[in-house]
């Protein structure tokens, strides 16, 4: 007679990998949650900065050469004008007052591309509405009497000649404007010109529009202050305020209504 000894079955120890798997999954979920929160906060902060502090634009034309070149990327200060005033010489970005820009002929883009461009615009990496805005230099403030040209081809502001040779792209013998004008800037508006004076469809060219060439201050997005791209052109913009240092304040009641 034989006897069989059956070993009592003992529970096999749980594998460490199996026990740690739920903890690892929870760790990844927490990590992904934290990343998502950081990304959302970054987008929110960028959106607030873009909405209330600075915006990015690119330059689509040569109307501000040589100060700004085609495809330059700039930052526009939106906060200073809210608490201060614009000055003669400031470079401003503004929405079309009406009739300055031709109707858009850009083909419709796929929704995915539009969505990506919109997301990039929130963080300032894209400027999809640059083609809907203009950038020029402020020459006349509300009430200013701006005339061109005097006997030596200079424009005058409130009777004082202004030497613009430091920033305009003009030949030495060219007048400050090939188109003569004599305007008084209405209250709440600006008179703006491009630095590339003979290649700029600015206030002078839009006097037949409803706004008579004046830019409502409410249309101004802000003041450009720095070139950010390309890197070899990185730097602050010069407003040349000294050019207008001798211009007196407009005469009381000088603004047209």
């Amino acid at each position: 007679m034989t006897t069989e000894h059956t070993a009592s079955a003992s529970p096999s120890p749980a594998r460490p990998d199996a026990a740690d798997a739920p903890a690892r999954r929870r760790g990844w979920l927490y990590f992904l949650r934290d990343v998502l929160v950081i990304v959302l906060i970054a987008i929110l902060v960028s959106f607030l900065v873009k909405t209330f502090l600075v915006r990015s634009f690119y330059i689509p034309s040569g109307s501000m050469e040589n100060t700004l070149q085609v495809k330059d990327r700039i930052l526009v200060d939106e906060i200073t004008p809210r608490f201060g005033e614009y000055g003669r010489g400031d470079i401003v970005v503004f929405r079309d007052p009406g009739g300055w820009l031709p109707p858009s002929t850009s083909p419709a883009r796929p929704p995915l591309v539009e969505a990506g461009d919109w997301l990039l615009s929130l963080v300032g990496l894209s400027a999809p509405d640059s083609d809907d805005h203009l950038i020029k230099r402020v020459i006349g403030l509300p009430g200013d009497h701006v005339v061109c040209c005097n006997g030596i081809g200079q424009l005058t502001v409130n009777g004082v000649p202004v030497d613009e040779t430091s920033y305009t792209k003009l030949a030495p013998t060219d007048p400050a404007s090939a188109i003569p004008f004599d305007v008084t800037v209405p209250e709440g508006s600006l008179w703006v010109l491009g630095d590339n004076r003979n290649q700029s469809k600015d206030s002078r060219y839009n006097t037949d529009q409803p706004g008579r060439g004046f830019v409502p201050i409410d249309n101004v997005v802000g003041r450009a202050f720095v070139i950010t791209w390309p890197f070899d052109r990185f730097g602050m913009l010069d407003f040349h305020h000294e050019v207008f240092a001798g211009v007196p304040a407009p005469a009381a009641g000088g603004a047209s209504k």
Side-chain angles (χ1 to χ4, degrees), residues 27-75:
W28 274 106
L29 288 174
Y30 291 148
F31 172 75
L32 292 175
R33 181 200 64 185
D34 292 345
V35 169
L36 180 60
V37 169
I38 291 171
V39 169
L40 290 175
I41 291 174
I43 290 176
L44 177 61
V45 170
S46 298
F47 174 75
L48 292 174
V49 168
K50 172 180 176 290
T51 303
F52 299 106
L53 299 179
V54 295
R55 282 182 70 177
S56 175
F57 286 91
Y58 73 86
I59 304 303
S61 76
S63 69
M64 283 295 291
E65 291 177 349
N66 290 320
T67 303
L68 294 168
Q69 305 292 332
V70 177
K71 296 186 179 179
D72 278 356
R73 192 171 290 270
I74 60 171
L75 291 182

Side-chain angles (χ1 to χ4, degrees), residues 194-239:
D195 288 357
N196 189 1
R197 201 57 54 83
N198 293 329
Q199 299 294 326
S200 177
K201 301 294 185 181
D202 44 39
S203 287
R204 303 165 296 165
Y205 285 87
N206 291 283
T207 55
D208 58 340
Q209 299 298 333
R212 296 180 293 130
F214 301 108
V215 177
I217 291 177
D218 289 344
N219 281 44
V220 180
V221 173
R223 181 172 55 191
F225 67 98
V226 65
I227 299 172
T228 59
W229 182 263
F231 286 139
D232 61 352
R233 286 181 46 75
F234 180 88
M236 304 298 290
L237 290 172
D238 191 343
F239 299 137

Side-chain angles (χ1 to χ4, degrees), residues 154-172:
Q154 295 174 318
L155 63 80
T156 65
V157 182
N158 300 333
V160 174
V162 177
D163 181 2
E164 299 185 280
T165 55
S166 58
Y167 58 79
T168 52
K169 186 178 181 180
L170 290 169

Side-chain angles (χ1 to χ4, degrees), residues 93-110:
V93 171
F94 55 95
R95 297 184 300 276
D96 185 356
W100 288 42
L101 293 172
S104 176
T105 57
S106 300
R109 298 187 298 177

Side-chain angles (χ1 to χ4, degrees), residues 17-30:
D17 290 348
D20 292 344
R24 284 202 302 271
R25 282 196 295 271
R26 285 195 299 272
W28 274 106
L29 288 174
Y30 291 148

